[in-house]
Amino acid sequence: MSDSPIAKVLVSYGASSVPSGRGWRSMKCPFHSDRNASATVSNEDNAFICFACDVKGDIFKIIMEQEGVSFSEAKSRAEEIAGTDSIKVPTARKLGRRVPSKEGSISSRRREI
């Protein structure tokens, strides 16, 4: 098992093990009864997504949703579980979210021509 902050949080929620290594790794989801690996975790980015139960986000969002707490409480809780006082927050691009471009989309630029 990895010693990353996200791994420690997922184990605290019931994950039996969290794959180690860089990049996204498949695992069984601790948030629902899972027979197959329907979730992926990135220890490097402290992020998690389950394609079956739709739990997803960075380490703080997961704690906020699962425990119903604010961001500051989730940050404190994550630091407590992980045993550290600084946890890396993934960027929106690494979580697969689209980040709006200042230049606009390709189709909007075509209309301008």
Side-chain angles (χ1 to χ4, degrees), residues 42-68:
S42 172
N43 293 303
E44 184 178 48
D45 295 328
N46 286 312
F48 174 86
I49 184 168
C50 177
F51 298 102
C53 70
D54 206 34
V55 172
K56 62 185 165 196
D58 61 36
I59 191 170
F60 307 114
K61 183 176 179 198
I62 291 168
I63 293 173
M64 289 168 59
E65 288 183 4
Q66 296 301 311
E67 297 186 14

Side-chain angles (χ1 to χ4, degrees), residues 34-105:
D34 203 2
R35 290 187 300 190
N36 299 314
S38 62
T40 57
V41 64
S42 172
N43 293 303
E44 184 178 48
D45 295 328
N46 286 312
F48 174 86
I49 184 168
C50 177
F51 298 102
C53 70
D54 206 34
V55 172
K56 62 185 165 196
D58 61 36
I59 191 170
F60 307 114
K61 183 176 179 198
I62 291 168
I63 293 173
M64 289 168 59
E65 288 183 4
Q66 296 301 311
E67 297 186 14
V69 296
S70 68
F71 176 80
S72 60
E73 292 169 315
K75 186 174 184 316
S76 297
R77 181 81 175 110
E79 291 169 349
E80 175 188 322
I81 293 168
T84 183
D85 60 354
S86 63
I87 297 176
K88 178 181 168 186
V89 178
T91 63
R93 287 194 190 277
K94 288 190 177 182
L95 284 177
R97 290 187 221 131
R98 290 189 176 180
V99 178
S101 169
K102 290 181 183 176
E103 295 84 27
S105 67

